[in-house]
Amino acid sequence: MGIKWRHRALPVASLALALALPAATGCESTPDARPKPTAAPPTSVARVCAQPAAGPAKAPAGAVTVDPAVAGDLAAKTKSSPPNTTFWLRPGKHTLEPDRYAQVIPKEGNSYLGAPGAVLDGRKTNQYAFGGTARNVTIRHLTVQGFVAPHNEGVVNHDSADGWVIEHATIQNNSGAGLMAGDRQRVRANCLRDNGQYGMNAYKATGRISGLVVEGNEITGNNTDDWERRREGCGCTGGVKFWAVDGADVRGNWVHDNRGAGLWADTNNNDFRIEDNVLEANDGAALIYETSYNAVIRKNTIRRNNWVEGRRRADRGDNFPFATIYLSESGGEPRIRARTDKIEIYRNVLENNWSGITLWENADRFCNSPANTSSGECTLLVKHTDRCTQPAIATAPLYADCRWKTQRVDIHGNRFVLDKSVVDCTVKCDRMAVLANYGTYPDWSPYQGERVAEAITRTQHNRWHDNVYVGPWKFVAHDPSRILDSGQWQGTPYQQDAGSTFRARAGG
């Protein structure tokens, strides 16, 4: 995510408080301390895990009934039934054959409905619950648990088939990702809980994902296998990860207590609306938007995020402004079709997180650079990556188009509240930032020196204005060494936060 601070690769396509903190003398803590919610979310936000909606108590007319007493009954009846069949799973624990690759392979248009108490259990033996390429499959009111998908793979919709609808399901206690995503997928009112890597991994090895809806879900406790510790810098953890999704609506979700980031859009995503969510008490950032384009982030409640990862970095002496909303090489781009041509962040409430919003650009991360950790990917503006080499990359249009740019970011109408006694820190948890590194690598890079730092700070139309700040906020511009007070931030040459108000006392 930055050459120094984050590294990652795209996922492998396989089968396709009690926060234990010390006395408030600095920013030290035990590494495994994890914040927990101290207040309930607003009543409008999904409390799906505690109050799951019950499925039909009787089989719908024409449905095939599935018997939990018969191992493999669901897979067998799916195989023997025609497309567009509805299956009703009786109450009880349903299982598959003991082979690790045993799974349900739906046919197009199939529906799977769970009765109250219906569970599909992988018994820590089966890798996948539902796979295959059939389109327009529906899964409702079913608990799916105990599957052991490998790293970067998923349990439900393992092969990222298109048009699936997953509603009122509980997908919990699985390895890998609880859920994969395909094109036009609808994920509504589910409990995605305590899965080993992600609640959902929106990744498709071939084809595209567009029209993705993630609405009204509770996404909590994921990354129980703590993959960042096992593979440091992998960028492969959190509540939900999005890869190359073109068009997504993420709204009304309660994303909390995940180990790692809450929501993370990574590599050539575009046209996101992230709104009306509660993002809280995630170990890492509430939201990361990385090497991606064009988004609206509005009307979210964002609180107590990044206490664990931000504190850990501070304890190591890292001066980078890790924040709760982190935009890394991401910005608005009018040439890429979307519902907006910028990244607009407005009408959000950010309260007692580890810092605020950081806009970052890695000067050494561009197409064909060895420092581009996105596995050889290039920007959406360059179709042929091999064009981004010397001498052409040093001239227009490739000089601009071969690097992801943090540009056209409009941050306004937000309320930023920080009480350091709540976060329990004295330094490095109080920053808003726009910055880049000094370009050094590779030796043929046209972006060496301060070129990118000057651009992100002064000429790429990144703007804060008309916000409200409560608490002892500081501001970082150009590079990590330039730490400003509000007057310097508003003054020449930065001229940020016109029309904003500052109240220095802690608290809200």
Side-chain angles (χ1 to χ4, degrees):
M1 180 191 302
I3 184 171
K4 178 178 179 182
W5 300 282
R6 301 276 189 183
H7 304 276
R8 85 209 53 345
L10 284 171
V12 176
S14 302
L15 292 174
L17 164 243
L19 176 61
L21 299 177
T25 57
C27 294
E28 300 175 357
S29 72
T30 56
D32 293 321
R34 305 186 66 227
K36 297 187 182 299
T38 57
T43 56
S44 60
V45 171
R47 304 167 187 251
V48 181
C49 296
Q51 302 171 358
K58 295 182 178 180
V64 173
T65 297
V66 182
D67 187 352
V70 179
D73 195 42
L74 179 60
K77 286 178 175 174
T78 295
K79 185 176 181 179
S80 63
S81 300
N84 300 303
T85 297
T86 295
F87 300 87
W88 179 71
L89 285 75
R90 290 181 181 275
K93 184 176 291 186
H94 297 255
T95 59
L96 303 173
E97 296 293 340
D99 181 86
R100 63 188 293 191
Y101 297 116
Q103 58 191 287
V104 181
I105 306 294
K107 296 174 182 175
E108 184 166 349
N110 281 1
S111 294
Y112 298 87
L113 306 179
V119 176
L120 180 60
D121 196 319
R123 298 175 293 174
K124 301 299 181 183
T125 299
N126 309 114
Q127 292 189 350
Y128 318 119
F130 293 91
T133 59
R135 297 176 297 172
N136 304 326
V137 171
T138 297
I139 298 171
R140 291 191 174 103
H141 303 292
L142 181 63
T143 294
V144 180
Q145 64 186 32
F147 288 82
V148 286
H151 184 247
N152 288 331
E153 298 185 41
V155 169
V156 174
N157 197 10
H158 167 256
D159 298 294
S160 302
D162 297 338
W164 284 39
V165 176
I166 300 95
E167 294 179 330
H168 304 293
T170 297
I171 304 174
Q172 63 184 8
N173 301 321
N174 303 287
S175 299
L179 175 64
M180 300 297 285
D183 192 43
R184 299 174 287 103
Q185 184 158 299
R186 303 289 186 265
V187 182
R188 293 192 176 106
N190 302 286
C191 171
L192 306 180
R193 174 171 62 187
D194 296 337
N195 295 289
Q197 188 178 1
Y198 305 113
M200 182 174 75
N201 186 15
Y203 171 74
K204 189 175 176 71
T206 59
R208 62 182 299 191
I209 298 176
S210 62
L212 178 63
V213 174
V214 182
E215 180 177 17
N217 304 282
E218 184 174 350
I219 303 165
T220 180
N222 295 290
N223 188 31
T224 59
D225 291 335
D226 202 0
W227 277 100
E228 282 291 339
R229 289 249 182 133
R230 297 169 67 174
R231 300 184 184 180
E232 186 173 1
C234 72
C236 60
T237 61
V240 180
K241 194 76 180 279
F242 304 89
W243 308 85
V245 174
D246 186 12
D249 290 276
V250 183
R251 57 182 176 245
N253 302 284
W254 184 19
V255 184
H256 66 98
D257 289 278
N258 294 285
R259 176 173 281 163
L263 303 173
W264 191 340
D266 188 352
T267 309
N268 288 338
N269 296 277
N270 175 53
D271 194 14
F272 272 53
R273 287 192 176 179
I274 301 170
E275 58 190 353
D276 296 314
N277 302 283
V278 173
L279 311 174
E280 64 179 334
N282 297 289
D283 281 8
L287 170 63
I288 302 174
Y289 206 70
E290 178 178 3
T291 53
S292 294
Y293 303 90
N294 300 326
V296 173
I297 302 164
R298 64 186 177 189
K299 297 188 290 183
N300 300 286
T301 299
I302 302 171
R303 56 197 182 195
R304 298 187 304 281
N305 295 281
N306 211 21
W307 286 14
V308 172
E309 291 189 7
R311 192 180 308 276
R312 183 182 297 140
R313 297 285 183 167
D315 289 348
R316 294 176 182 175
D318 195 329
N319 196 40
F320 187 79
F322 293 95
T324 195
I325 296 180
Y326 182 27
L327 270 58
S328 178
E329 297 93 22
S330 293
E333 177 48 73
R335 291 174 289 173
I336 298 174
R337 185 176 180 180
R339 290 167 288 183
T340 181
D341 61 3
K342 57 187 176 180
I343 292 182
E344 190 171 12
I345 304 173
Y346 69 99
R347 293 181 63 190
N348 302 284
V349 176
L350 286 81
E351 182 175 357
N352 292 326
N353 300 283
W354 191 275
S355 290
I357 298 174
T358 287
L359 309 186
W360 159 253
E361 194 169 326
N362 180 355
D364 299 328
R365 188 179 190 184
F366 53 90
C367 305
N368 278 334
S369 169
N372 176 20
T373 55
S374 293
S375 298
E377 293 292 315
C378 195
T379 70
L380 293 179
L381 299 172
V382 179
K383 294 186 181 299
H384 302 288
T385 306
D386 57 3
R387 296 176 63 207
C388 294
T389 55
Q390 287 286 10
I393 193 174
T395 61
L398 294 179
Y399 178 82
D401 292 351
C402 288
R403 68 181 174 93
W404 292 272
K405 291 187 287 187
T406 302
Q407 65 177 7
R408 298 173 60 84
V409 181
D410 188 2
I411 301 168
H412 64 95
N414 303 285
R415 180 177 175 85
F416 302 107
V417 177
L418 176 64
D419 185 339
K420 288 186 175 182
S421 68
V422 173
V423 182
D424 199 0
C425 84
T426 57
V427 296
K428 297 183 181 178
C429 63
D430 53 2
R431 294 175 291 178
M432 204 75 59
V434 53
L435 77 165
N437 60 323
Y438 189 90
T440 61
Y441 182 76
D443 57 9
W444 53 268
S445 168
Y447 312 115
Q448 294 187 23
E450 296 186 352
R451 292 176 176 88
V452 174
E454 287 292 314
I456 191 175
T457 307
R458 299 173 187 260
T459 65
Q460 289 181 183
H461 308 288
N462 297 313
R463 184 174 175 235
W464 279 256
H465 62 98
D466 299 297
N467 298 294
V468 173
Y469 293 86
V470 179
W473 288 95
K474 294 183 174 65
F475 303 86
V476 180
H478 188 276
D479 62 76
S481 69
R482 298 191 189 181
I483 301 175
L484 315 173
D485 61 28
S486 60
Q488 294 168 317
W489 176 247
Q490 289 185 298
T492 303
Y494 307 109
Q495 296 183 326
Q496 292 289 1
D497 266 315
S500 296
T501 61
F502 300 82
R503 183 151 53 95
R505 77 170 183 82

